[in-house]
Amino acid sequence: MSELADRVVQALNTLEPEDGLFAADAVTWHSFDEVEAPTVPDTLESVRGIRTVVPDFGLVEVRTTPLVDGVSWARYAVTGTLPDGTAFRAPAALAVHVDGSGQVTRIEEYVDTAQLAGLFAALS
């Protein structure tokens, strides 16, 4: 079985989370806006929305850590090609929190938004 954080990244890349991966009340928080939103459906819908503008948007070069004290980490790069043909790449990390039943209850994403300025401009 792959690491928990790896399974979350896979769910974000495929937009098809495995059954029972996320708790019904799971939330996602971003370092750049400090907003907390429901993981399902909001986070998955956000990725779908990004892909309408950047079809090759993805999380690549994924490295994960085993679950320790209820948290598993994923380090990866956010990549894609903007409508003007410009490629972007931004290193990022997810802290994936899990409850006693093994379901994800919280995702915290850390990314330098300066490296994603072109993406945010294309989305606005």
Side-chain angles (χ1 to χ4, degrees):
M1 176 186 257
S2 54
E3 298 297 342
L4 179 67
D6 194 44
R7 292 166 45 213
V8 169
V9 171
Q10 180 179 354
L12 294 172
N13 273 329
T14 64
L15 298 174
E16 295 180 11
E18 62 189 71
D19 287 340
L21 177 61
F22 297 109
D25 60 350
V27 295
T28 300
W29 173 90
H30 303 104
S31 64
F32 57 86
D33 61 8
E34 298 189 63
V35 170
E36 191 174 274
T39 300
V40 178
D42 293 20
T43 298
L44 299 175
E45 288 305 316
S46 292
V47 174
R48 279 187 186 91
I50 292 168
R51 288 204 179 128
T52 63
V53 177
V54 180
D56 65 344
F57 175 85
L59 312 179
V60 301
E61 302 168 21
V62 180
R63 296 167 295 160
T64 62
T65 65
L67 187 65
V68 176
D69 295 329
V71 179
S72 178
W73 283 89
R75 291 173 292 160
Y76 54 94
V78 179
T79 63
T81 307
L82 299 174
D84 68 2
T86 304
F88 64 87
R89 181 182 182 284
L94 286 181
V96 178
H97 299 259
V98 64
D99 64 14
S101 72
Q103 289 188 305
V104 175
T105 58
R106 180 177 181 84
I107 299 171
E108 297 172 352
E109 183 179 39
Y110 298 88
V111 62
D112 178 2
T113 57
Q115 295 174 315
L116 295 175
L119 173 62
F120 288 125
L123 295 173
S124 60

